Amino acid sequence: MDSILVKGNGPLNGVIPIAGAKNACLTLMPATLLSEEPLTLTNAPRLSDIATMTQLLQSLGAEVASMQNGLVLAMSSHKVYNHTADYEIVRKFRASILVLGPLLARDGHAIVSLPGGCAIGARPVDLHLKAFEAMGAELELRDGYVHAKAPGGRLRGAIIEFPFVSVGATENALLAATLAKGTTVIKNAAREPEIVDLAVCLRRMGAQIDGEGTSTITIQGVDRLGGATHPVVTDRIELGTYMLLPAICGGEVECLGGKMSLVGAFAEKLDAAGVSVVETERGLKVTRKNGRVNAVDVVTEPFPGFPTDLQAQMMALLCTADGTSVLEEKIFENRFMHAPELVRMGAKIDVHGGHATVTGVEKLRGARVMATDLRASVSLILAGLAAEGETVVSRVYHLDRGYERVEEKLRGVGAQIERISA
Ligand code: EPZ
């Protein structure tokens, strides 16, 4: 099994191109099921999760061709002959639940395996199912699968009010509502940039949508959708991750394609920590001004708040901050598994429930550590780049799910990093 070896090597300098967003692409791809005409995505990220979504769509009958070295996904669903999303694919990644809405909306029936648990939390899909029931679907849970039917073969518009914000449930309801009979209003909707990107793409296909990016989205259902070509929005989580390189190691890095609007709350915390972030013509330039960063407190929240997907990486920075920081994880109930691994590198971290208290130390030391999930894996690499000596991060298959060409991109700014089989 692959591991990644990193050696602390001082300040990092240069430019890093930021890819299209994994979490946008994973909700854009199922939109192909809503139309019989081609949907082409450009600026697609080259990741194992995208390959798995491709496999899932192909298992339903969709055609998905990857072109231009994987940057372009040409999809077409003029015939969908299978309406069952099999456990063998679904168990590999949770976003597969996002085919349920489009299949139901397209043909009025679908059978989708329940995703099961996850390292960072229980992650149920009850809000997704309640949204479809509100749109008239009849659901039955049997043998680990959701069996869904829309009486009369078509969903109907509905008022859907989520008790708390869910990115996935908002996306699934939005996808399904485009072909429902009548108007759907999603209240307390998620406002993430990936949802705005989905709405823009669906509108290109002929959908009638208003309010994306706010807490209330209104969709006027239509009888059919056309095709479109759509560029995937920049990956704000990859962006935030690489903005931390000069913050942790010193130096100056320009992230090409970055925009302040994608990382507002995160950039504010970097500024409070004493790290400068400026917008350039090409992206965002990040510079660590002087010695140690300041300690800052962080609370994860839905967008536009501080993203939970940058919490682990921010913890890696705060391990060597001047002072004590408190991180509160409010989105997932078990998302501090990187903390004990950072402690193996000499960090001082005390986790109690949803809070982690990080007392900054002068320097981390390299060690053998284990990745437990996608964002935890990259936080350990960031910590290793700032540590004395060598760090070996095992189970990096997690990393490949969400970061393309990591070694190449990091070596481009002077990092000492290589993939080893250990
Ligand atoms: C999306 O997951 C992202 N994944 C996650 O990124 C991200 O952490 C999360 O949104 C929050 O920003 C993708 O887009 C593929 P939620 P999602 O529904 O949609 C609970 C990464 O690292 N909940 O907003 O699953 C849930 O358990 C990944 O790229 C229910 O209880 O997140 C969680 O505690 C990790 N019932 C909270 O809501 C439901 O039906 C927020 O989950 C749905 C969610």
Side-chain angles (χ1 to χ4, degrees), residues 24-315:
C25 203
L26 287 176
T27 189
L28 289 163
M29 292 174 75
T32 181
L33 299 169
L34 295 168
S35 171
E36 298 193 1
E37 291 174 43
L39 172 62
T40 301
L41 299 177
T42 59
N43 193 36
R46 281 74 58 98
L47 303 166
S48 59
D49 270 10
I50 303 302
T52 315
M53 180 60 90
T54 297
Q55 197 194 346
L56 175 58
L57 292 172
Q58 288 169 337
S59 78
L60 303 174
E63 286 164 20
V64 183
S66 171
M67 304 188 299
Q68 291 177 31
N69 189 20
L71 284 170
V72 174
L73 295 171
M75 304 179 289
S76 165
S77 302
H78 53 266
K79 55 178 178 7
V80 169
Y81 51 73
N82 169 28
H83 291 74
T84 301
D86 194 79
Y87 173 70
E88 281 315 312
I89 302 178
V90 170
R91 70 182 175 77
K92 292 183 192 153
F93 79 129
R94 310 181 49 74
S96 43
I97 192 77
L98 294 173
V99 301
L100 180 52
L103 283 174
L104 254 183
R106 178 197 175 98
D107 294 330
H109 61 100
I111 300 174
V112 173
S113 168
L114 283 169
C118 167
I120 64 177
R123 302 183 74 179
V125 293
D126 54 323
L127 298 186
H128 299 236
L129 304 184
K130 287 203 184 90
F132 298 132
E133 282 176 331
M135 300 171 87
E138 290 160 4
L139 306 178
E140 192 195 344
L141 300 186
R142 201 166 64 232
D143 311 325
Y145 284 78
V146 183
H147 294 247
K149 262 200 184 60
R154 189 171 184 191
L155 294 171
R156 61 169 189 267
I159 308 269
I160 298 167
E161 176 138 18
F162 290 126
F164 51 87
V165 168
S166 160
V167 172
T170 301
E171 292 166 342
N172 231 336
L174 175 56
L175 285 158
T178 55
L179 292 177
K181 190 161 184 41
T183 305
T184 297
V185 181
I186 305 176
K187 294 184 174 175
N188 202 19
R191 302 164 56 189
E192 272 64 7
E194 295 75 32
I195 290 182
V196 172
D197 203 40
L198 175 63
V200 170
C201 177
L202 291 168
R203 245 197 314 269
R204 284 199 164 107
M205 295 168 74
Q208 295 182 20
I209 301 170
D210 278 307
E212 73 276 5
T214 75
S215 303
T216 305
I217 305 177
T218 304
I219 308 105
Q220 182 60 45
V222 295
D223 293 342
R224 60 180 298 285
L225 290 176
T229 296
H230 178 80
V232 179
V233 70
T234 298
D235 193 319
R236 64 194 169 98
I237 306 302
E238 186 193 31
L239 171 61
T241 302
Y242 293 146
M243 287 167 71
L244 281 164
L245 290 169
I248 284 184
C249 301
E252 182 169 277
V253 171
E254 186 177 10
C255 298
L256 306 183
K259 290 194 187 71
M260 200 62 95
S261 58
L262 292 172
V263 286
F266 172 71
E268 273 168 33
K269 285 294 172 188
L270 285 189
D271 182 58
V275 178
S276 113
V277 181
V278 293
E279 242 171 336
T280 65
E281 269 164 33
R282 305 188 297 178
L284 293 179
K285 187 180 279 180
V286 182
T287 315
R288 162 126 67 87
K289 293 185 194 106
N290 50 38
R292 292 171 76 181
V293 298
N294 311 326
V296 292
D297 294 342
V298 169
V299 180
T300 65
E301 286 167 320
F303 192 88
F306 189 100
T308 173
D309 295 345
L310 286 171
Q311 177 259 99
Q313 300 92 314
M314 192 70 181
M315 184 184 278

